[in-house]
Amino acid sequence: MTNYLNAMGKDIIFVHPPSTYTPNVNPFYMLPVGVFSLASRALQEGFDVEIVNLPLETSLTGFSPEEIVKSLDAEVFAIPLHWFVHADGALETARILKGVNPSAKVVVGGMTATVFADEVVKSRYVDAVVLGEGEEGLLKYLKYTVRKVEPDDWSGVYVKLGKRLVRGGIGRPPELRNLDFVEGLKILRHWREYLRTGVSGLLSRQRPHFWVSVARGCLFDCIYCGGSREGYRVTMGREGLAVRDPGEVAEEVAQLRDLGVEIIRLSHDPQMLGEKWWRKFFGLVKALDLRVYWESHRLPSRGIIEEAKRTFSMIDLAISPETASDEVRFRAKRFFTNDMLLKALDILKDERVLTEVFFLIGLPGETKDSARLIPKFARMLVEGRDNVAIYPPIPYTIDPNSPMAMRPREHGIKLFFKRLDDYRKASRGRRTIDFIGHETRELSRREIARLTEEVFRRVMEIPQEEAVKLKIEFEEGG
């Protein structure tokens, strides 16, 4: 214990914060996968680097997050604020770090940090915000702080220079060749335990798993998604979809397999990357005896499912119709019908593929009546298909850089969450309505919350024991 709290000084420590320091709220253990790439780049440049996952360290060591933060020693602390769920925890972690080591620099980065960069950088506990994807901006700031190398410009960084604020703007997104995530993983404290960790914590029977970044950006513009083509372009500066070389990804997966990983979770639907890509990738990893998860952005073809069955020992596929209404789904730019979904589920049943189906409440055009059709529709999806698991809707918090948040009037939205502080309060929330940041022409904020709770209860009543067993078989080892 004593040795743990007397860590040697580093050039930079990435500190993954809890979602909030509020008691009895899920701290959200999973790191954005880009942290590992950023850490690897810093290592390649010769910096002394470490990653600390505060929620995981707390659960493993018995120390409080505050005690762990106070034990850290580095010239630069990098706090990921990618997902808005960490809005409260990220800034509170910055406050604790700055209080313990006022001479160290605290930099915050990620998608949410970029969206709310003006608010983040004005915190007296933050010295800079890395804008966009981060590789170049973070290295620029790290060289400036640790090695005293003056940059030619501040693109990719919003920085405090004395009493001045200098916003360099979003830099050019990096090329995706030669990205490295594995070396970054290995400098995470307790990385082996992390591979058995889910969103809610360490699971003793969890098969080791890891999210594999196969691309950045998106081809599509689902109006409620911050990772949509428009949302990603505005926030991260990347036009369209950039795809990693399938050979490089396969080499990374082989390295992960050597570290004990049994399940790979793909960041993008492989169909989005094209048949040539996924056929080559599948062929290269076929001998590794892996399980695979991905979310099918549209609907899976029989061809990709048959090839995946030949490649992987087990498949977990997620599909998000979001609603029982074709009209509402098309308005959200998810272009498949209920009939198309049923046909796809029949293919997945024939191939015995675990299929997880997700819904949400709060899309434009959804009414009380159409939302209340979701449980009946969900029952229809599982009837005769014991491989299908329906997830009841949890509160949908509007992504701050989703198309419908950026252009609310066009989408018939009234926004309640407009500032970072709104998301900080949501991170501390306990009631359903605390997480609802918008209303539509059809449904008030309170109605969205009540319908979410109602549909949740009714979906939970649907028998799906066999699908649950299949999910346990996929995730758990002996």
Side-chain angles (χ1 to χ4, degrees):
M1 290 276 188
T2 301
N3 291 336
Y4 180 89
L5 290 180
N6 288 321
M8 297 295 291
K10 301 287 183 180
D11 292 325
I12 180 170
I13 299 177
F14 292 84
V15 183
H16 176 65
S19 59
T20 179
Y21 286 80
T22 302
N24 302 317
V25 175
N26 180 13
F28 207 91
Y29 289 72
M30 301 303 294
L31 278 76
V33 71
V35 171
F36 300 111
S37 171
L38 292 169
S40 293
R41 281 294 303 276
L43 282 171
Q44 291 165 5
E45 293 288 331
F47 292 102
D48 195 3
V49 190
E50 188 175 26
I51 305 174
V52 174
N53 181 334
L54 284 183
L56 180 60
E57 293 303 305
T58 298
S59 67
L60 291 174
T61 68
F63 290 114
S64 70
E66 294 88 347
E67 288 175 313
I68 295 169
V69 165
K70 290 174 182 177
S71 76
L72 303 179
D73 181 18
E75 290 195 51
V76 177
F77 293 101
I79 302 173
L81 177 48
H82 190 65
W83 301 306
F84 59 73
V85 69
H86 290 103
D88 190 50
L91 292 188
E92 181 63 12
T93 300
R95 184 191 68 78
I96 298 170
L97 281 166
K98 207 66 171 173
V100 174
N101 194 345
S103 64
K105 299 299 183 182
V106 175
V107 57
V108 180
M111 187 174 286
T112 300
T114 300
V115 172
F116 296 111
D118 286 323
E119 293 180 61
V120 176
V121 81
K122 289 174 184 175
S123 164
R124 59 195 176 108
Y125 310 115
V126 175
D127 297 288
V129 177
V130 171
L131 305 172
E133 291 190 0
E135 276 87 352
E136 302 307 321
L138 180 62
L139 282 177
K140 186 178 296 184
Y141 187 75
L142 195 53
K143 290 176 181 178
Y144 170 76
T145 302
V146 176
R147 297 177 179 167
K148 313 307 178 189
V149 176
E150 290 281 345
D152 294 331
D153 61 65
W154 282 107
S155 61
V157 188
Y158 196 170
V159 61
K160 289 176 180 174
L161 299 175
K163 295 184 178 181
R164 292 189 302 133
L165 288 176
V166 178
R167 182 166 190 158
I170 297 173
R172 175 184 293 182
E175 296 289 332
L176 300 189
R177 293 191 301 272
N178 303 316
L179 286 183
D180 183 348
F181 295 83
V182 177
E183 292 306 309
L185 169 64
K186 290 191 290 188
I187 58 170
L188 168 68
R189 288 188 190 179
H190 292 111
W191 64 265
R192 291 179 179 84
E193 289 81 0
Y194 179 74
L195 295 179
R196 294 182 181 273
T197 297
V199 171
S200 300
L202 179 65
L203 304 169
S204 60
R205 293 180 59 81
Q206 172 70 56
R207 294 178 186 273
H209 65 119
F210 193 76
W211 281 92
V212 175
S213 176
V214 297
R216 290 183 180 178
C218 192
L219 291 176
F220 304 110
D221 258 330
C222 300
I223 66 172
Y224 55 93
C225 180
S228 64
R229 179 173 57 186
E230 179 184 6
Y232 201 88
R233 173 180 57 79
V234 171
T235 309
M236 310 302 272
R238 187 180 291 280
E239 296 282 350
L241 182 72
V243 182
R244 293 181 67 196
D245 178 78
E248 289 189 9
V249 178
E251 182 179 345
E252 175 185 311
V253 168
Q255 294 172 6
L256 290 168
R257 190 71 181 96
D258 288 341
L259 296 180
V261 168
E262 298 179 28
I263 300 172
I264 57 170
R265 304 186 193 275
L266 304 182
S267 64
H268 290 63
D269 180 354
Q271 279 190 142
M272 189 189 297
L273 314 184
E275 183 173 349
K276 183 178 179 181
W277 191 98
W278 59 257
R279 284 194 181 278
K280 181 176 181 180
F281 174 68
F282 286 4
L284 291 170
V285 301
K286 190 172 186 177
L288 297 179
D289 188 25
L290 288 161
R291 298 167 181 232
V292 69
Y293 167 93
W294 78 78
E295 178 174 353
S296 182
H297 191 275
R298 290 296 186 253
L299 293 172
S301 67
R302 185 180 290 275
I304 193 171
I305 294 302
E306 289 176 346
E307 191 62 29
K309 286 282 288 186
R310 287 189 284 267
T311 302
F312 301 99
S313 59
M314 200 169 178
I315 305 167
D316 182 0
L317 193 73
I319 301 177
S320 299
E322 312 295 17
T323 173
S325 165
D326 288 347
E327 180 182 350
V328 174
R329 189 179 308 118
F330 272 65
R331 187 169 168 178
K333 298 192 177 180
R334 300 283 284 183
F335 297 116
F336 58 85
T337 65
N338 291 346
D339 286 343
M340 293 165 65
L341 174 60
L342 289 167
K343 290 177 182 177
L345 291 180
D346 285 338
I347 293 172
L348 295 165
K349 174 190 173 183
D350 292 344
E351 299 294 338
R352 193 61 182 165
V353 171
L354 169 61
T355 306
E356 302 179 72
V357 180
F358 294 85
F359 294 93
L360 65 83
I361 308 295
L363 290 174
E366 192 85 271
T367 65
K368 290 181 182 179
D369 289 342
S370 65
R372 285 175 172 146
L373 292 175
I374 289 174
K376 181 179 180 181
F377 181 56
R379 284 184 180 273
M380 183 190 306
L381 300 182
V382 302
E383 284 178 0
R385 303 180 184 91
D386 60 8
N387 62 307
V388 175
I390 307 293
Y391 280 73
I394 60 174
Y396 166 67
T397 304
I398 190 167
D399 279 349
N401 59 322
S402 65
M404 72 184 200
M406 293 190 293
R407 291 178 283 106
R409 183 172 299 180
E410 176 182 328
H411 293 289
I413 294 296
K414 180 180 178 180
L415 283 179
F416 295 98
F417 290 3
K418 300 179 182 180
R419 301 173 59 250
L420 182 63
D421 193 53
D422 297 324
Y423 286 92
R424 292 192 70 177
K425 292 176 182 176
S427 297
R428 300 190 294 265
R430 297 176 184 274
R431 303 171 302 159
T432 300
I433 197 169
D434 296 336
F435 301 96
I436 309 300
H438 76 291
E439 65 184 22
T440 67
R441 293 191 180 106
E442 297 80 14
L443 296 173
S444 71
R445 183 186 184 198
R446 188 167 298 279
E447 287 170 333
I448 292 172
R450 287 175 176 170
L451 281 166
T452 300
E453 293 169 352
E454 176 186 331
V455 174
F456 182 98
R457 289 192 300 270
R458 292 174 60 193
V459 169
M460 286 294 290
E461 295 170 357
I462 299 173
Q464 39 190 327
E465 289 83 1
E466 292 305 313
V468 171
K469 291 178 183 176
L470 202 59
K471 176 65 172 174
I472 292 171
E473 180 186 347
F474 180 85
E475 296 288 351
E476 294 188 358

